[in-house]
Amino acid sequence: HDMQRETKIALITGSSRGIGKAVAMKLAEAGIFVYINYLKQEAAAEEPLAATNNAGAVGPLSPIDAADRVAV
């Protein structure tokens, strides 16, 4: 039986700062593919993006308003 490794993916809302940023960085360190979500502060989102890339989990920037059903 061929076993394949599962890829785990996370979308952390508000991951450009504060608790969301800390959670995104810890998940990336654990090898989870993390989408970096932000609403208005793209420059702030660059730091956790670089950190997730350094941890080996390439996380694209995802500028989504989590309160907007259509956007999500």
Side-chain angles (χ1 to χ4, degrees):
H1 184 70
D2 186 28
M3 299 285 286
Q4 291 183 346
R5 183 175 177 210
E6 269 188 38
T7 300
K8 295 181 181 179
I9 301 170
L11 170 63
I12 309 300
T13 59
S15 51
S16 65
R17 57 193 172 111
I19 294 170
K21 176 181 172 181
V23 170
M25 292 171 77
K26 283 291 184 185
L27 291 175
E29 289 170 8
I32 296 171
F33 186 96
V34 179
Y35 284 93
I36 303 298
N37 171 253
Y38 68 96
L39 181 57
K40 297 178 182 176
Q41 299 177 357
E42 183 173 356
E46 293 291 338
E47 182 182 348
L49 174 65
T52 58
N53 286 338
N54 289 337
V58 179
L61 291 178
S62 184
I64 298 171
D65 181 355
D68 182 347
R69 284 180 53 183
V70 175
V72 173

